[in-house]
């Protein structure tokens, strides 16, 4: 029997949609999922820790990683670099561990190009007004940054058409429930279960 490879799960959604909360809920219910900690050149926000939320690195170090081909994907987002390390992800998938990436739309498109079997899920807010309320409530960014993030959100939501699944983050519980169902369904795809039919019909 061939060993099952891990599932590569990509979650995108505009800044402030509540991705981190949904991810925390998801990882609480599925402790076997490995969350990939990205590299970024942006400054840590209050409460963020190096190695937990991100690996915070200088622009120089990030550019070295690009040149050395150490990243599965990377993108520049609102003036900063964000990227995913290739090495750890490859190891986890080979070990049969499911890997979750929280990345923006350009990075997600690159992942789909390099790994067509990746499952792309887009988390969308119930409305642009609600997204604006959430960004203001978070109280971490200047008004100008919030306006840039809202404009960016509109552009990003246009890209959701390229994703495999669209989940509305109205309540965290409902959104997490839908994502868990998606992952369950993905595991049942016929190509991933050929060994089950072979044990019944043989290799004729
Ligand atoms: P934030 O600054 O709010 O933490 O993140 C800004 C955006 O960068 C979010 O949409 C987040 O999903 C995205 N992001 C985080 N890590 C990565 C990464 O490794 N690659 C890419 N392409 N985007 C990322």
């Amino acid at each position: 029997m061939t060993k099952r490879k891990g599932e590569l799960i990509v979650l995108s959604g505009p800044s402030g949609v509540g991705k981190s909360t949904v991810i925390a809920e998801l990882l609480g219910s599925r402790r076997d999922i490995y969350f990939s900690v990205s590299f970024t050149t942006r400054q840590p926000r209050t409460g963020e820790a190096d190695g937990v939320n991100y690996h915070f690195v200088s622009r120089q170090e990030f550019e070295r990683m690009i040149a050395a081909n150490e990243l599965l994907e990377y993108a520049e987002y609102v003036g900063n670099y964000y990227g995913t390390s290739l090495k750890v992800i490859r190891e986890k998938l080979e070990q049969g561990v499911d890997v979750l990436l929280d990345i923006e739309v350009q990075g997600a498109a690159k992942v789909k190009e390099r790994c067509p079997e990746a499952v792309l899920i887009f988390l969308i807010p119930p409305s642009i007004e609600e997204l604006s309320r959430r960004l203001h409530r978070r109280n971490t960014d200047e008004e100008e940054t919030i306006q840039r993030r809202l404009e960016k959100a509109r552009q990003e939501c246009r890209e959701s058409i390229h994703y495999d699944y669209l989940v509305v983050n109205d309540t965290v519980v409902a959104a997490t429930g839908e994502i868990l169902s998606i992952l369950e369904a993905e595991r049942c795809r016929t190509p991933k279960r050929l060994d089950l039919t072979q044990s019944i019909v043989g290799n004729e």
Side-chain angles (χ1 to χ4, degrees):
M1 198 165 98
T2 49
K3 189 171 179 294
R4 173 187 171 269
K5 271 184 86 178
E7 203 85 70
L8 185 56
I9 308 148
V10 173
L11 189 65
S12 300
S15 178
V17 72
K19 253 179 314 170
S20 312
T21 317
V22 169
I23 287 172
E25 187 80 12
L26 200 60
L27 298 179
S29 333
R30 281 273 319 268
R31 293 184 181 273
D32 56 335
I33 295 181
Y34 174 82
F35 177 68
S36 160
V37 178
S38 296
F39 287 77
T40 186
T41 59
R42 90 149 157 73
Q43 292 300 308
R45 296 195 185 110
T46 316
E48 286 185 334
D50 189 33
V52 179
N53 306 87
Y54 285 103
H55 299 287
F56 296 98
V57 294
S58 65
R59 249 186 126 75
Q60 193 185 14
E61 169 60 6
F62 200 100
E63 281 165 359
R64 187 204 61 75
M65 293 174 80
I66 298 173
N69 239 331
E70 290 177 15
L71 300 172
L72 166 66
E73 60 73 36
Y74 70 92
E76 204 155 2
Y77 183 91
V78 200
N80 287 299
Y81 278 129
Y82 294 82
T84 310
S85 159
L86 181 59
K87 186 168 173 277
V88 183
I89 303 231
R90 195 182 268 158
E91 280 168 12
K92 295 285 173 192
L93 293 175
E94 288 299 328
Q95 289 163 8
V97 177
D98 293 343
V99 175
L100 176 64
L101 307 183
D102 163 1
I103 63 177
E104 52 65 65
V105 295
Q106 305 163 63
K110 284 185 215 156
V111 171
K112 194 70 179 176
E113 221 175 272
R114 288 184 78 169
C115 318
E117 68 289 354
V119 184
L120 267 58
I121 306 172
F122 194 91
L123 200 59
I124 199 162
S127 66
I128 196 78
E129 292 78 16
E130 176 56 23
L131 184 67
S132 170
R133 270 193 292 277
R134 288 179 191 179
L135 281 171
H136 282 95
R137 217 182 300 138
R138 192 162 76 173
N139 214 11
T140 52
D141 294 312
E142 304 282 331
E143 184 59 30
E144 191 201 330
T145 309
I146 292 182
Q147 292 310 320
R148 278 164 78 195
R149 285 184 184 263
L150 277 173
E151 186 43 44
K152 187 89 180 163
R154 286 197 188 84
Q155 293 167 15
E156 287 174 315
C157 288
R158 272 183 219 122
E159 299 301 314
S160 62
I161 192 85
H162 302 298
Y163 282 65
D164 300 307
Y165 297 96
L166 191 65
V167 170
V168 180
N169 189 18
D170 199 350
T171 71
V172 173
V173 172
T176 310
E178 282 194 358
I179 295 173
L180 288 170
S181 305
I182 291 166
L183 301 184
E184 193 70 26
E186 283 294 325
R187 270 176 186 252
C188 301
R189 280 193 182 276
T190 310
K192 293 174 190 161
R193 295 200 144 172
L194 287 179
D195 51 329
L196 299 181
T197 51
Q198 271 163 15
S199 68
I200 294 171
V201 300
N203 284 323
E204 73 219 1

